[in-house]
Amino acid sequence: MQQRTPHVVIIGGGFGGLAVARSLRKAPVNITLVDKRNHHVFQPLLYQVATAELNPSDIAYPIRAALSKQRNVRVLLAEAKTIDTAGKRVVLDDGALQYDYLIVATGATHSYFGKNEWEQYAPGLKSIEDALEIRRRVFLAYEAAERESDPVLQREWLTFAVVGAGPTGVELSGALGEIGLHTLAHDFRSIDPTQVKVVLFEGGDRVLRAYPEKLSAAAKRALEKRHVEVRLGGRVTGIDGRGVTVEGADGVETRVGTRTVLWAAGVMASPLAASLGAPLDRSGRVVVLPDLSVPEHPEVYVIGDLAKMISKGAEVPGVAQGALQGGKHVAAIIAREVRSGSRTPAAARPAFSYWDKGNMATIGRASAVAATKRFAVSGFLAWMMWWVVHIIFLVGFRSRVMVMLTWAWSWLTFKRGARLITGAPGPLPAIHLLDASGAPALPAGAAPIRLDRGTV
Amino acid sequence: MQQRTPHVVIIGGGFGGLAVARSLRKAPVNITLVDKRNHHVFQPLLYQVATAELNPSDIAYPIRAALSKQRNVRVLLAEAKTIDTAGKRVVLDDGALQYDYLIVATGATHSYFGKNEWEQYAPGLKSIEDALEIRRRVFLAYEAAERESDPVLQREWLTFAVVGAGPTGVELSGALGEIGLHTLAHDFRSIDPTQVKVVLFEGGDRVLRAYPEKLSAAAKRALEKRHVEVRLGGRVTGIDGRGVTVEGADGVETRVGTRTVLWAAGVMASPLAASLGAPLDRSGRVVVLPDLSVPEHPEVYVIGDLAKMISKGAEVPGVAQGALQGGKHVAAIIAREVRSGSRTPAAARPAFSYWDKGNMATIGRASAVAATKRFAVSGFLAWMMWWVVHIIFLVGFRSRVMVMLTWAWSWLTFKRGARLITGAPGPLPAIHLLDASGAPALPAGAAPIRLDRGTV
């Protein structure tokens, strides 16, 4: 091979990209990791930031700090715009990078199935910013409900809809149910906690379709205990600022009035994939060869949620383990080639083999589901497993300790520490003020507070 | 007095407003606390959020949660627009509140001495959003410096200017110095930590003018040890996107090239004060009577940074203790009047008496200054005192434990846990890419990475 040290460019600092960089720490290569954000996000816990359980920095870590001791890596904060496979160049927003090996691991983004106008009403959950926006909307809805004197409108503010009952949708709606039941029970004067309602919409016939049926049923029961109404088999046909419209299996449309809709349904591979010139599937993912390289470009690999990876005839699920193991696989191929000095054709390389360690999702306090090939458990035991696994995998020593303590604290006190509404100090949602007749929260015998009704 | 329960309206949930509400917990009144944010901020530690030491929720706490057990309080998320003292009404953004007693405690905001165009280049530090914006700018500057191949431009990115050497300015610049020296030392490949420079501008002849001269000198030495250049006696005459211009005592203008300027100089009382129709001082603060009420309106009080409070002939400093003690004083007057059923004229009420517990400011690791009437200390002992006092006064049990652990962790590891760049996912600052000749960070013997220079 060439005399000079090969340059490996990694786009994306998620689980896949970081795994490649770390696995190449002893390889004689120069690595440049490009990400448009400065931090790695521990995505499986993002919903806990959205629901005010954890702080952003509990689950996010500067990529630069994660790799600071690895001398053959350089981290660049930049956005990759296109990939020029012929010229072996990654075009950035303000320059370009030449590569010998390229790993594309930019993940997925939300897809609204062509209804992009829904995005403003139903934010998804992929980044720290998304999580803070969801947190802002959820807690602002309670503030608005506190001030609303019209009972119909108050119900709208106290109704939360989640679209999609995969792990994210289930975890979000479970947490929203508990916020209504426990966290906020004593904090408001005009809100009756039993009025809080969470509706989880799922097009399929059960929640958590990737899990055994037994666990789907257990998860549904656990959700219902938390005042989550699970609506299966319907198709969401409309989302606007006042509610969600669903068409049932019988073709009849119903409507749920709500001011807060969260999107946990479709994902779409990030648009960078298109510039590779490789075949894409319906979700925009790159259909990679068994070794995870791109057809006709053995020096270009796609891993994680951006790739349609096949292992032992089955599709690899879009989870952290898939990205992580894909990254290690690719790093091993590159290290071997660089050391041997010769490039192996894609067909002669080992195929990626995914080891399914199982799935787990948490529904709330002391309640989760966990499934591997050998067993399926739900309830407290699953929750303990979930807890241990997530603590172990969290990036960074400090995060681990802090998250453990935060969880212990909120478990003991039923409180959530991170209930801050921050961000765009824009206008509050237009709301009615309570008027004299609608002030149920004052102590008995108190004179009503006179409130002039303002324009809405 | 009247038969119905009197209605006490408090505007602002800072130290002053919260103190009033809490001190009235047993009084036969209905309280409404209005704030435009949902959280109380522990302002003395805000600079630690700005410098990525602490998380927002370590120092901010939902006002609603702080008062949830106090049944005679209602918390409203709303912005007070004006005060109609004749009609005894607070006009909100979308309604109005009638009051029997009013406490205005909305604090202060930044003042750019009429140069409002400086604000975009030199953000101040009053809110959680401000702190996150400063954090974003500081860490983005390092990212930009990492990518900058022109040494002059790189110096600009690695130079940080702070205007104003009161406690906030001193604490910010000390922390910025340590970030350059310790936190980021190993994380970048193209940055020489000794190139990082912090310049602290102060118009007066010493830093921390509210402290004894001995401590000012100690603070200056401590800052200089952290590579902070302290420039005294100059007047800032220009701030733009590329630097700060200062006119020295000799009338000569000099310029410091920097991309990051932080404002810790002027404060201005919040504009709500003007609608009270009371006399204001030069900073827009309300000149209150000795009992802290507003002339001719014994039912209206102003406390905290919004008031010019006089105690024993001296002005009460704009610190947390001043607001807190003012709040307690006012609450005691109100409680007494409500219980006795008769209103005392302002002149017959007890005058506010401020108990100066002393001042302290921290400069960095194991370095602080503390002064009371009896003693003045600096160094490690002062830092230990600072630590204990701040831990004790932090709102909420969880914050205390978390902050203690976070501090312990960063003290032991020299790391900062909250180094996330979040917020407006807008374009990165326009920067040059390193070109082939300017890639000093690659291991010896590595081939240069080819980088096409992009348009800037």
Side-chain angles (χ1 to χ4, degrees):
Chain A
M1 216 170 172
Q2 61 276 72
Q3 274 296 46
R4 62 181 186 79
T5 310
H7 185 209
V8 178
V9 172
I10 303 167
I11 313 177
F15 288 109
L18 268 190
V20 175
R22 283 180 167 164
S23 305
L24 287 174
R25 65 190 172 280
K26 290 180 183 162
V29 293
N30 290 326
I31 304 167
T32 302
L33 192 153
V34 179
D35 200 296
K36 64 178 174 179
R37 296 181 203 276
N38 85 326
H39 48 274
H40 169 80
V41 176
F42 192 87
Q43 287 228 12
L45 290 177
L46 206 45
Y47 80 95
Q48 295 210 352
V49 174
T51 54
E53 180 96 11
L54 294 178
N55 265 304
S57 76
D58 292 334
I59 64 151
Y61 198 76
I63 297 170
R64 198 172 282 298
L67 296 170
S68 69
K69 297 223 169 104
Q70 190 175 330
R71 299 305 299 178
N72 66 347
V73 178
R74 177 150 71 176
V75 178
L76 264 194
L77 182 70
E79 184 164 359
K81 289 297 186 189
T82 56
I83 294 159
D84 166 14
T85 47
K88 295 192 180 180
R89 285 162 77 240
V90 177
V91 180
L92 306 176
D93 38 0
D94 56 353
L97 282 166
Q98 200 75 34
Y99 62 79
D100 297 307
Y101 288 96
L102 174 67
I103 295 93
V104 190
T106 47
T109 178
H110 324 296
S111 161
Y112 291 86
F113 308 128
K115 303 274 193 181
N116 289 338
E117 66 276 20
W118 291 357
E119 188 172 4
Q120 59 183 304
Y121 306 115
L125 183 61
K126 283 283 170 200
S127 68
I128 292 285
E129 284 87 352
D130 290 344
L132 293 178
E133 173 62 19
I134 289 178
R135 183 197 287 183
R136 201 177 73 86
R137 290 190 188 207
V138 167
F139 290 99
L140 266 182
Y142 278 93
E143 296 293 337
E146 171 78 352
R147 291 174 55 171
E148 183 55 69
S149 54
D150 179 328
V152 174
L153 295 178
Q154 201 196 35
R155 279 303 289 264
E156 285 184 12
W157 285 113
L158 294 177
T159 302
F160 300 87
V162 178
V163 183
T168 302
V170 165
E171 294 180 317
L172 271 178
S173 49
L176 288 176
E178 294 200 336
I179 287 174
L181 281 175
H182 303 306
T183 314
L184 298 177
H186 304 289
D187 283 7
F188 292 90
R189 299 287 177 259
S190 311
I191 294 176
D192 170 3
T194 64
Q195 296 287 299
V196 176
K197 195 168 84 172
V198 182
V199 187
L200 175 61
F201 295 100
E202 165 60 42
D205 61 352
R206 58 189 177 102
V207 305
L208 297 175
R209 266 187 290 177
Y211 290 67
E213 282 192 35
K214 181 180 118 184
L215 292 191
S216 296
K220 184 161 178 279
R221 278 195 307 275
L223 287 169
E224 283 163 353
K225 255 175 76 177
R226 286 161 179 81
H227 292 206
V228 178
E229 183 186 328
V230 181
R231 293 214 189 174
L232 302 171
R235 195 169 61 89
V236 171
T237 54
I239 299 177
D240 55 50
R242 296 290 296 273
V244 177
T245 310
V246 202
E247 191 186 279
D250 49 6
V252 179
E253 281 202 339
T254 51
R255 187 165 166 86
V256 173
T258 169
R259 302 284 186 135
T260 315
V261 186
L262 310 182
W263 188 258
V267 292
M268 180 55 131
S270 79
L272 194 65
S275 69
L276 285 170
L280 306 181
D281 77 350
R282 227 163 43 102
S283 312
R285 295 181 304 172
V286 178
V287 182
V288 292
L289 298 176
D291 68 329
L292 306 185
S293 73
V294 169
E296 289 167 50
H297 287 286
E299 75 284 4
V300 180
Y301 300 85
V302 184
I303 57 174
D305 288 355
L306 190 69
K308 180 174 179 167
M309 304 186 283
I310 303 288
S311 166
K312 302 162 207 158
E315 199 174 304
V316 177
V319 296
Q321 277 299 327
L324 234 147
Q325 294 179 27
K328 286 183 185 169
H329 174 82
V330 167
I333 294 177
I334 294 174
R336 207 176 305 123
E337 287 193 3
V338 168
R339 289 218 175 82
S340 74
S342 68
R343 186 160 287 168
T344 331
R349 291 170 176 168
F352 173 53
S353 167
Y354 176 61
W355 178 35
D356 187 353
K357 294 187 177 173
N359 287 314
M360 34 179 64
T362 170
I363 293 126
R365 287 174 66 80
S367 176
V369 291
T372 71
K373 270 180 227 150
R374 287 156 192 261
F375 65 84
V377 283
S378 59
F380 188 75
L381 178 65
W383 183 77
M384 285 299 298
M385 287 173 53
W386 179 92
W387 207 91
V388 170
V389 167
H390 282 82
I391 281 293
I392 290 171
F393 281 101
L394 264 189
V395 177
F397 163 74
R398 174 182 174 272
S399 284
R400 247 176 250 175
V401 175
M402 289 292 161
V403 170
M404 232 185 313
L405 287 164
T406 305
W407 283 344
W409 181 85
S410 55
W411 202 81
L412 290 169
T413 63
F414 287 82
K415 285 181 183 168
R416 283 161 195 270
R419 271 165 52 199
L420 308 182
I421 301 175
T422 54
L428 289 173
I431 48 185
H432 303 275
L433 271 180
L434 281 168
D435 65 8
S437 61
L442 290 174
I449 293 172
R450 209 189 124 234
L451 281 154
D452 301 341
R453 181 174 285 276
T455 39
V456 178
Chain B
M1 216 168 173
Q2 60 278 70
Q3 274 297 45
R4 61 182 187 79
T5 310
H7 185 210
V8 178
V9 172
I10 303 167
I11 313 177
F15 288 110
L18 268 190
V20 175
R22 283 180 167 164
S23 304
L24 287 174
R25 65 188 172 280
K26 290 178 183 163
V29 293
N30 290 325
I31 304 167
T32 303
L33 193 154
V34 179
D35 200 297
K36 64 178 174 179
R37 297 181 201 276
N38 84 326
H39 49 274
H40 168 81
V41 176
F42 193 86
Q43 287 228 13
L45 290 177
L46 206 46
Y47 80 96
Q48 295 210 354
V49 174
T51 53
E53 180 96 11
L54 294 178
N55 265 304
S57 76
D58 291 335
I59 64 152
Y61 197 77
I63 298 169
R64 197 174 282 298
L67 296 171
S68 70
K69 297 223 169 102
Q70 190 175 329
R71 298 305 298 178
N72 66 347
V73 179
R74 177 151 71 178
V75 178
L76 264 193
L77 183 70
E79 184 164 0
K81 289 297 186 189
T82 57
I83 294 158
D84 166 14
T85 46
K88 295 192 179 179
R89 285 162 76 236
V90 176
V91 181
L92 306 176
D93 39 1
D94 57 352
L97 281 167
Q98 201 76 34
Y99 62 79
D100 297 307
Y101 288 96
L102 174 68
I103 295 93
V104 190
T106 47
T109 178
H110 324 296
S111 161
Y112 291 85
F113 308 129
K115 303 273 193 182
N116 289 337
E117 66 275 20
W118 292 356
E119 188 172 3
Q120 59 184 304
Y121 306 115
L125 183 61
K126 282 285 170 199
S127 67
I128 292 284
E129 284 86 354
D130 290 343
L132 294 177
E133 174 62 19
I134 289 178
R135 182 198 287 184
R136 201 177 73 87
R137 290 190 188 206
V138 168
F139 290 99
L140 266 181
Y142 277 92
E143 295 294 337
E146 171 78 353
R147 290 174 56 169
E148 182 55 69
S149 54
D150 179 327
V152 174
L153 295 179
Q154 201 195 35
R155 279 302 288 263
E156 285 184 11
W157 284 114
L158 293 178
T159 302
F160 299 86
V162 179
V163 183
T168 302
V170 165
E171 294 180 318
L172 271 177
S173 48
L176 289 175
E178 294 200 335
I179 286 173
L181 282 174
H182 303 305
T183 314
L184 298 177
H186 303 290
D187 283 7
F188 292 90
R189 300 287 177 258
S190 311
I191 295 175
D192 170 3
T194 64
Q195 296 287 301
V196 177
K197 194 168 85 172
V198 181
V199 188
L200 175 61
F201 295 101
E202 166 60 40
D205 61 352
R206 58 189 177 101
V207 305
L208 297 175
R209 267 188 288 176
Y211 289 68
E213 282 192 33
K214 184 180 116 185
L215 292 190
S216 294
K220 184 161 177 280
R221 279 195 307 275
L223 287 170
E224 283 162 355
K225 256 175 76 177
R226 287 162 178 81
H227 291 205
V228 178
E229 184 186 328
V230 181
R231 293 213 188 174
L232 301 172
R235 195 169 61 88
V236 171
T237 54
I239 299 177
D240 55 49
R242 296 292 295 273
V244 177
T245 311
V246 202
E247 191 186 280
D250 50 5
V252 178
E253 281 203 338
T254 51
R255 188 166 165 86
V256 174
T258 169
R259 302 285 186 135
T260 315
V261 186
L262 309 183
W263 188 257
V267 292
M268 181 56 128
S270 79
L272 194 63
S275 68
L276 284 170
L280 305 181
D281 77 351
R282 228 164 42 103
S283 312
R285 295 181 304 171
V286 178
V287 183
V288 291
L289 298 176
D291 69 328
L292 307 184
S293 72
V294 169
E296 289 167 52
H297 287 287
E299 75 284 3
V300 179
Y301 300 85
V302 184
I303 56 173
D305 289 354
L306 190 70
K308 179 173 180 168
M309 303 186 284
I310 304 288
S311 166
K312 302 163 205 155
E315 199 175 302
V316 177
V319 296
Q321 276 299 327
L324 234 146
Q325 294 179 27
K328 286 182 184 169
H329 175 81
V330 167
I333 293 177
I334 294 174
R336 208 176 303 124
E337 289 194 0
V338 168
R339 288 216 176 83
S340 74
S342 68
R343 185 161 288 168
T344 330
R349 291 170 176 168
F352 173 52
S353 167
Y354 175 61
W355 179 34
D356 188 353
K357 294 187 178 173
N359 287 315
M360 34 179 63
T362 173
I363 293 125
R365 287 174 66 80
S367 176
V369 290
T372 72
K373 270 179 227 150
R374 287 156 192 261
F375 64 85
V377 284
S378 58
F380 188 75
L381 178 65
W383 182 76
M384 284 300 296
M385 286 173 51
W386 179 92
W387 207 92
V388 170
V389 166
H390 281 81
I391 281 293
I392 290 172
F393 280 101
L394 264 188
V395 176
F397 164 75
R398 175 182 173 271
S399 285
R400 246 175 249 174
V401 175
M402 289 291 161
V403 170
M404 233 184 314
L405 287 164
T406 305
W407 283 344
W409 179 84
S410 55
W411 201 82
L412 290 170
T413 62
F414 287 83
K415 285 181 182 167
R416 282 163 196 270
R419 271 165 52 199
L420 309 181
I421 302 175
T422 54
L428 289 173
I431 49 186
H432 302 275
L433 270 181
L434 281 167
D435 65 9
S437 61
L442 290 174
I449 294 172
R450 209 188 122 233
L451 281 154
D452 300 340
R453 183 174 284 276
T455 38
V456 179

